[in-house]
């Protein structure tokens, strides 16, 4: 529900709304202030302008310390940012509302509520609505810390930070962070709190340990600020093994800008800020074109807590007590997701939103690209799975990932001694039987098309939605780093990945019934034109009867990206269920 608080905020002059859920946020052209409760007495307040002339990128501003005269909510650079062509978000730190005497708290939240989780969810919601391909996070000082921390969750983003703190305990002897830790976290010892809440108080640890999605960083440091050069920049550069002579580090997309702009911890002039902003925009656009990362609205959310979801409901922990799928004697869950394992496969079954009207179709979500630093195997959810669905659903992670911690794509190949095809088929058919479903709809993005095509060829129970499919390893190229990693991790005794013939099963293509398959493509994507369309042509050339016809749907893919928009996929699934 959205409720009007004020037609015009007393300071910012914008309409104000209170919302109960993220879905209540209205992403429109006009600017407004929203207030969202996130738990533990905190209200996440933010300014949003949902559209602009340059809507391919979303601008996100994060503030640092405020003065005692500044009232909450406090937003960075609202007036100037609302004049530029980019969609815009500015967040006020809700942690400050819990201790009105504190002037800086880095969006740290409370032990139970990590504010970054909620800001990430709002950003992904807005990005999906405006079809944004990337995010620019900007902030100075404490806001620069927040920009570094939040940008690490988005592969298509850049953190533009000006003289940021990188370790909250190193700022002014820890005077601000110790107040937060004492009053909100109930602790005083630095080692204890950092161990209990890793990566929340220091971005040095975050980037040193590789807990980022290879986002871009523009680190602008004022050389006249001796304290931040010594206590924040230098430890951060050391942690990423930065070489001043070459500008290289273990971060692929890191740029350091050092210049004297003022004596002490003064802000960068607005003209210089704007120049570096535009340079960062161009870097991000080149990165998106070259690397084709998942857009913010389609990328899986980052959850480093593993305990409490955004709804406040405890999540199941699949590693603790997975149930054995057994012989079907164990009843399906009534209201909660439940994890299963048959010793090699792990998967999670989700109930429908309404058991009484549930569809007779089981919707099965398969993985394509998975970031192991954020979602270690087994990742038992899918960014494409609607949170409310009128059908039973199941997510089956790719078991190939268990053979290598750095794998991002596995094609469900398994290992040398095990082809998981029969086990995946058996698990899906058994879940369908126990949920009284007559059809299994496979949702197969990109490289998951290989296992899905093999399943569709085996039984008429299976149907499939192929989303920008890659039908064979050959389409990826034998020198692809993803192919090479699977070869090295899962099939080390094979001379080449081409000797692993399971994936390139043209007999499966011939046996696929086109009436049970829909292929959705992004015809404007360069990767589809260069790879995907060729693969589909090969499939159809091998078929003796009906061909697989590619379909296009506006809004299903973002710009030139091949990653599907979850809302678009949900719409197609609902059409199928209601068809």
């Amino acid at each position: 529900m959205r409720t009007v608080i004020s037609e015009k905020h007393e300071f910012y002059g914008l309409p104000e709304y209170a919302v109960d859920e993220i879905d209540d946020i209205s992403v429109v052209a006009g600017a407004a202030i929203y207030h969202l409760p996130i738990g533990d007495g905190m209200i996440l307040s933010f300014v949003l302008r949902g559209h602009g002339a340059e809507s391919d990128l979303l601008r996100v501003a994060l503030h640092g310390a405020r003065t005692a005269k500044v009232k909450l909510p406090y937003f960075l650079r609202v007036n100037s940012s609302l004049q530029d062509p980019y969609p815009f978000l500015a967040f006020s730190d809700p942690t400050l509302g819990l201790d009105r005497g504190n002037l800086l708290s880095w969006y740290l939240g409370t032990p139970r509520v990590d504010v970054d989780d909620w800001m990430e969810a709002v950003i992904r919601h807005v990005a999906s609505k405006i079809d944004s391909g990337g995010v620019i996070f900007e902030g100075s000082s404490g806001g620069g810390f927040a920009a570094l921390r939040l940008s690490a969750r988005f592969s298509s983003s850049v953190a533009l930070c000006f003289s940021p703190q990188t370790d909250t305990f190193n700022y002014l002897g820890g005077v601000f962070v110790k107040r937060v830790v004492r009053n909100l976290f109930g602790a005083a010892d630095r080692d204890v709190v950092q161990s209990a809440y890793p990566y929340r108080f220091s971005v040095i640890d975050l980037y040193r340990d590789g807990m980022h999605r290879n986002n871009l960083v523009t680190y602008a440091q004022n050389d006249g600020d001796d304290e931040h050069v010594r206590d924040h920049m230098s430890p951060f550069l050391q942690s990423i093994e930065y070489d001043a002579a070459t500008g290289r580090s273990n971060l692929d997309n890191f740029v350091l800008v050092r210049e004297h702009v003022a004596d002490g911890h003064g802000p960068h002039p607005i003209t210089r800020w704007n120049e570096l902003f535009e340079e960062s925009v161009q870097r991000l656009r080149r990165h998106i074109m070259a690397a084709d990362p998942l857009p913010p609205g389609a990328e899986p959310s980052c959850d480093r807590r593993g305990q409490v979801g955004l709804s406040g409901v405890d999540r199941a922990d699949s590693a603790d007590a997975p149930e054995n799928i057994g012989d079907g004697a164990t009843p399906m869950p009534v209201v909660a997701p439940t994890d299963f394992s048959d010793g090699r496969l792990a998967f999670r079954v989700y109930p429908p939103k309404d058991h009484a009207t549930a569809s007779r179709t089981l919707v099965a979500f398969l993985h394509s690209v998975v970031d192991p630093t954020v979602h270690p195997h087994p990742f038992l959810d899918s960014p494409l799975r609607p949170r409310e669905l009128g059908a039973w659903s199941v997510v089956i992670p790719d078991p190939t990932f268990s053979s290598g911690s750095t794998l991002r794509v596995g094609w469900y190949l398994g290992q040398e001694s095990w082809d998981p095809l029969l086990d995946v088929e058996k698990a899906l058919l058994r879940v369908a039987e126990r949920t009284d479903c007559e059809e299994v709809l496979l949702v197969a993005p990109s490289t998951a098309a290989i296992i899905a095509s093999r399943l569709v060829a085996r039984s008429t129970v299976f149907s499939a939605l192929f989303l920008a499919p890659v039908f064979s390893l050959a389409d990826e190229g034998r020198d692809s780093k993803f192919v090479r990693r699977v070869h090295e991790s899962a099939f080390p005794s094979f001379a080449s990945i081409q000797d692993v013939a399971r994936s390139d099963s043209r007999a499966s293509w011939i046996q696929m019934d086109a009436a049970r398959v829909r292929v959705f493509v992004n015809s404007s994507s360069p990767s589809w034109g260069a790879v995907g369309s060729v693969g589909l042509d090969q499939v159809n050339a091998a078929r003796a009867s009906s061909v697989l016809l590619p379909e296009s749907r506006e809004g299903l893919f973002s710009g030139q990206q091949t990653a599907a928009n979850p809302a678009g996929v949900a719409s197609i699934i609902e059409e199928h269920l209601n068809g």
Side-chain angles (χ1 to χ4, degrees):
M1 178 182 296
R2 189 180 76 161
T3 305
V4 177
I5 295 179
S6 169
E7 295 292 343
K8 188 176 182 181
H9 185 273
E10 61 177 347
F11 181 76
Y12 294 101
L14 300 173
E16 285 185 275
Y17 301 97
V19 291
D20 296 327
E21 304 286 346
I22 289 175
D23 288 341
D24 297 331
I25 300 168
S26 180
V27 184
V28 296
I33 298 174
Y34 289 89
H35 304 282
L36 173 70
I38 63 174
D40 282 0
M42 289 188 290
I43 303 295
L44 180 62
S45 300
F46 52 92
V47 173
L48 168 62
R49 185 186 67 184
H51 294 277
E54 303 285 351
S55 288
D56 62 318
L57 299 178
L58 174 63
R59 187 172 192 173
V60 177
L62 301 152
H63 67 76
R66 66 184 177 97
T67 66
K69 295 181 180 180
V70 172
K71 295 182 179 180
L72 297 176
Y74 170 40
F75 304 111
L76 176 72
R77 299 200 61 192
V78 170
N79 291 332
S80 60
S81 296
L82 291 179
Q83 302 303 314
D84 70 24
Y86 301 95
F88 176 70
L89 269 169
F91 290 98
S92 179
D93 183 356
T95 318
L96 293 173
L98 299 179
D99 181 2
R100 295 282 175 160
N102 200 1
L103 304 179
L104 174 63
S105 51
W106 295 277
Y107 299 81
L108 291 174
T110 65
R112 197 182 72 91
V113 180
D114 186 342
V115 177
D116 279 13
D117 291 333
W118 287 91
M119 291 193 292
E120 177 190 5
V122 171
I123 292 166
R124 294 200 189 281
H125 172 78
V126 173
S128 67
K129 295 295 184 182
I130 65 175
D131 196 23
S132 172
V135 187
I136 308 106
F137 295 95
E138 58 184 329
S140 176
S141 189
F145 173 91
L148 283 166
R149 188 165 173 259
L150 196 51
S151 177
R153 296 172 173 239
F154 295 80
S155 57
S156 56
S157 76
V158 57
L160 173 59
C161 50
F162 296 87
S163 300
Q165 286 95 59
T166 60
D167 186 328
T168 57
F169 283 93
N170 282 353
Y171 183 53
L172 297 181
V175 61
F176 287 106
V177 72
K178 288 178 181 177
R179 177 169 180 158
V180 174
V181 168
R182 180 182 66 251
N183 293 345
L184 302 182
F185 285 77
D189 186 86
R190 169 178 180 158
D191 293 336
V192 170
V193 74
Q194 291 200 160
S195 175
Y197 310 99
Y199 310 119
R200 202 184 298 194
F201 292 85
S202 169
V203 295
I204 293 176
D205 299 339
L206 185 74
Y207 284 86
R208 180 196 62 210
D209 295 346
M211 297 300 291
H212 56 83
R213 284 176 160 168
N214 207 27
N215 56 300
L216 285 69
V217 173
T218 301
Y219 194 119
Q221 177 61 53
N222 171 24
D223 271 346
D225 184 349
D226 294 337
E227 179 201 358
H228 278 74
V229 169
R230 180 188 65 246
D231 297 338
H232 298 281
M233 185 196 75
S234 293
F236 183 83
L237 296 183
Q238 183 178 3
S239 73
I240 65 172
E241 300 178 2
Y242 180 80
D243 185 338
T246 63
R248 296 177 180 175
S249 69
N250 59 23
L251 297 183
D252 294 337
N253 301 303
F254 179 79
V255 170
L256 177 66
V257 180
R258 296 188 64 173
E259 51 197 3
H260 190 286
V261 298
D263 290 331
H265 192 50
H268 276 64
I270 190 64
T271 54
R272 185 56 176 150
W273 185 308
N274 290 339
E275 288 173 357
L276 291 177
F277 176 84
E278 290 300 331
E279 290 178 12
S280 298
V281 164
Q282 297 309 314
R283 283 183 62 216
L284 179 57
R285 283 182 170 148
R286 290 194 297 269
H287 172 70
I288 291 172
M289 287 295 295
D292 195 29
L294 289 171
E299 188 174 41
S301 296
C302 174
D303 181 8
R304 298 195 179 96
R305 297 167 300 165
Q307 294 178 345
V308 179
L310 293 181
S311 64
V313 178
D314 288 347
R315 294 181 178 175
D317 189 344
S318 62
D320 286 344
E323 293 186 18
N324 192 293
I325 191 170
D327 57 4
T330 305
M332 276 293 156
V334 176
V335 295
T338 302
D339 301 338
F340 295 86
S341 173
D342 68 355
R344 290 187 287 193
L345 280 184
F347 56 96
R348 180 174 293 170
V349 179
Y350 295 85
K353 63 180 179 181
D354 185 348
H355 286 70
T357 60
S359 168
R360 300 293 293 277
T361 295
L362 171 69
V363 184
F365 295 91
L366 303 170
H367 287 165
S368 176
V369 180
V370 175
D371 186 342
T373 63
V374 179
H375 297 297
H377 180 77
F379 174 39
L380 294 168
D381 202 351
S382 166
L384 301 180
R385 183 184 66 83
R387 292 306 175 258
E388 286 195 352
L389 190 63
W392 289 92
S393 60
V394 59
V395 178
I396 297 190
D398 184 348
T400 315
F401 292 135
S402 64
S403 63
S405 60
T406 64
L407 291 181
R408 297 169 68 92
V409 182
W411 294 272
Y412 288 80
L413 292 175
Q415 287 84 37
E416 290 188 0
S417 60
W418 176 50
D419 181 351
L421 175 66
L422 296 180
D423 293 278
V424 172
E425 179 188 26
K426 178 181 177 182
L428 288 173
L429 293 178
R430 186 166 293 170
V431 173
E433 178 185 5
R434 292 168 59 190
T435 54
D436 197 26
C437 291
E438 299 174 346
E439 176 195 33
V440 179
L441 176 64
L442 305 168
V443 180
S446 187
T447 56
I450 292 176
I451 185 71
S453 64
R454 300 175 74 200
L455 288 167
V456 171
R458 290 184 62 84
S459 172
T460 57
V461 171
F462 295 106
S463 57
L465 298 176
F466 292 119
L467 308 169
V470 176
F471 281 106
S472 78
L473 282 174
D475 295 345
E476 288 287 322
R478 66 179 62 208
D479 295 325
S480 162
K481 64 180 180 181
F482 297 120
V483 174
R484 187 169 62 252
R485 286 177 180 172
V486 172
H487 178 206
E488 294 171 352
S489 300
F491 301 92
S493 68
F494 281 72
S496 71
I497 198 66
Q498 280 67 34
D499 292 338
V500 185
R502 299 186 186 94
S503 65
D504 198 5
S505 182
R506 285 177 170 75
S508 295
W509 302 342
I510 296 172
Q511 296 168 28
M512 272 199 301
D513 179 2
R516 292 184 284 115
V517 172
R518 296 183 72 182
V519 180
F520 289 91
V521 304
N522 184 2
S523 56
S524 65
S525 167
S527 61
W528 170 255
V531 176
S533 62
V534 176
L536 186 60
D537 290 343
Q538 291 174 345
V539 171
N540 284 328
R543 294 172 60 79
S545 56
S546 58
V547 297
L548 307 183
L549 298 176
E551 302 179 46
S552 296
R553 173 168 296 196
E554 184 177 355
L556 179 57
F557 300 97
S558 300
Q560 293 187 337
Q561 305 286 342
T562 55
N565 186 315
V569 175
S571 176
I572 295 171
I573 293 172
E574 289 293 347
E575 288 177 10
H576 184 92
L577 298 179
N578 298 327

